[in-house]
Amino acid sequence: MTDFPAAVSWQPVVAVPVRNEARRIAALLRALDGQSWARTAGTVPVVLVLNNCTDGTRAVCEKALSALGRLRAEVIDVDLPSASAHVGTARRMAMDRAADLCAPGVGIVLTTDADAVPDHDWIAASVRAFARGADLVGGKLTGNREEEERLGPAFNARAGAAAAYATHCDRLAALIDPLEHDPWPRHADHTGGSLAIRADLYRALGGLPPLPRREDLALVNLARAAGAKLVHPLDVRVEVSARLIGRAQGGMADCLKAWMRAESEGRPHLVEAPARVERRLTRRRAVRDLAALAGPARDAAARALGLDPQAFNEAPRDHAGAWAVERFAPDEPDAEALVPVGEAIATILGMIAVREGAMRAA
């Protein structure tokens, strides 16, 4: 990926897919209007794609925007056929238009969700990450505290345990498969709730895959396979809704409802097995290292991993490792949950302690 000096005058444009968000969209617009970036740049360009809205969302947007002086917003109404009236299509349309508004070489497309509330420094912190050499920036997502409290102590216990386990999994990743451009401490979120990408890279990748779910992760996978540097700064933060009625199938609301249902039925909180996490991370590192080999050594290493050595003939020379990892050792966001979370946390903390101890002893 291209390196840019810190002096580049970056041009961020925010892209938001919107579906029947009359109750929540004003909070997002106020948060964007209050961005620290706007105090320096003067305005925040925003593209809102209203996807088959039937609840008066446009009127709410217009009223809110009339009172917010720092937003330069483009509100696009679309009436999509039912088969494509999903978040993937709407987010792609918003991001495509945002990329079109960017000047060549300096544009950044940021996307979030219509029910989210970005931190006041969200844009500025993202821009700082690009100035340090990032190609994509994933933002840290936190639940709305008031909404989570209303779901009760049992829900909050599950949410806290899930967040803790995710953090421990990412710490293990930083130990097994460290990435110089994305060092620890960091977080592990890079979804549509907070994702930023250089506009020229976005275009080169052909845009966001218009999938009905996981469209954000599909874009990240394409970018990483192309050698892009994805980073997870702790100062890029967005608050997301803890509502139980969502817009995207398989999204956060469905996850929260599943937790609530499991709790009411007395079922344990299960997560992916730590051993499986460790195996996947070990494979990612092995594939990443394998791509740097050549000739018989690479062929032998590929066979040891159960891979066809000839497949590496397709690998781009300048980012063969990143390409190979996404093709042969991808993330598994929908891995089966089999182990009680308390047991899993204890096990993975042991794995981390062993590896950190080995590092200190080295």
Side-chain angles (χ1 to χ4, degrees):
M1 293 292 103
T2 305
D3 290 328
F4 290 91
V8 165
S9 297
W10 295 101
Q11 181 186 5
V13 182
V14 180
V16 187
V18 185
R19 178 71 175 269
N20 287 342
E21 292 291 358
R23 292 182 57 244
R24 297 174 183 267
I25 190 68
L28 168 65
L29 296 176
R30 288 193 297 269
L32 294 176
D33 186 75
Q35 290 292 301
S36 61
W37 175 265
R39 292 196 291 271
T40 301
T43 59
V44 174
V46 181
V47 176
L48 304 171
V49 170
L50 275 52
N51 169 21
N52 294 36
C53 290
T54 58
D55 68 340
T57 294
R58 185 176 185 99
V60 174
C61 287
E62 291 174 347
K63 181 179 179 180
L65 290 169
S66 69
L68 301 174
R70 294 193 180 100
L71 297 188
R72 190 170 77 247
E74 188 170 317
V75 184
I76 304 170
D77 274 299
V78 296
D79 185 13
L80 300 171
S82 58
S84 58
H86 52 67
V87 66
T89 304
R91 196 183 302 278
R92 180 187 172 103
M93 294 177 71
M95 294 183 75
D96 283 358
R97 179 56 182 156
D100 289 343
L101 295 175
C102 292
V106 297
I108 298 170
V109 177
L110 300 97
T111 189
T112 187
D113 294 327
D115 62 341
V117 178
D119 179 78
H120 78 284
D121 207 33
W122 179 60
I123 294 176
S126 298
V127 169
R128 289 195 295 269
F130 284 99
R132 294 191 295 266
D135 299 307
L136 293 94
V137 179
K140 174 67 175 174
L141 306 183
T142 59
N144 179 285
R145 184 63 60 84
E146 292 183 5
E147 291 181 342
E148 289 186 342
E149 288 298 325
R150 287 198 292 270
L151 294 177
F155 166 84
N156 281 280
R158 287 194 178 232
Y165 187 58
T167 297
H168 298 324
C169 287
D170 194 48
R171 176 56 181 147
L172 190 65
L175 291 166
I176 294 176
D177 185 25
L179 300 173
E180 184 177 356
H181 64 268
D182 192 23
W184 188 262
R186 66 188 189 203
H187 62 85
D189 297 333
H190 45 255
T191 68
S194 180
L195 188 64
I197 182 170
R198 288 199 345 257
D200 57 348
L201 172 60
Y202 179 80
R203 295 190 192 96
L205 295 173
L208 178 93
L211 304 174
R213 65 188 298 267
R214 303 293 194 200
E215 81 290 347
D216 40 15
L217 300 186
L219 177 62
V220 168
N221 292 346
L222 286 174
R224 291 195 296 192
K229 295 177 181 177
L230 169 67
V231 301
H232 302 86
L234 296 176
D235 59 350
V236 179
R237 300 182 297 270
V238 170
E239 180 185 88
V240 295
S241 170
R243 66 184 178 188
L244 299 179
I245 301 175
R247 304 290 181 259
Q249 182 180 4
M252 178 62 72
D254 283 352
C255 174
L256 301 187
K257 282 190 291 187
W259 285 354
M260 296 289 286
R261 186 165 54 250
E263 185 66 30
S264 68
E265 295 172 357
R267 289 186 280 118
H269 182 183
L270 303 179
V271 295
E272 182 183 8
R276 181 179 173 129
V277 174
E278 185 180 42
R279 284 195 301 270
R280 181 172 59 253
L281 294 173
T282 302
R283 182 177 177 84
R284 285 176 72 84
R285 173 45 59 177
V287 170
R288 201 182 304 278
D289 291 342
L290 180 156
L293 303 176
R298 188 177 71 184
D299 292 352
R303 291 191 186 96
L305 289 171
L307 302 175
D308 179 1
Q310 297 304 311
F312 285 85
N313 294 335
E314 304 172 26
R317 289 187 179 182
D318 61 342
H319 54 269
W323 174 88
V325 165
E326 296 307 314
R327 179 165 179 179
F328 302 119
D331 286 333
E332 297 180 80
D334 297 311
E336 190 174 7
L338 296 173
V339 178
V341 68
E343 176 186 332
I345 288 174
T347 300
I348 207 164
L349 284 175
M351 293 174 173
I352 291 169
V354 168
R355 292 179 181 274
E356 287 182 335
M359 288 178 60
R360 288 192 294 269

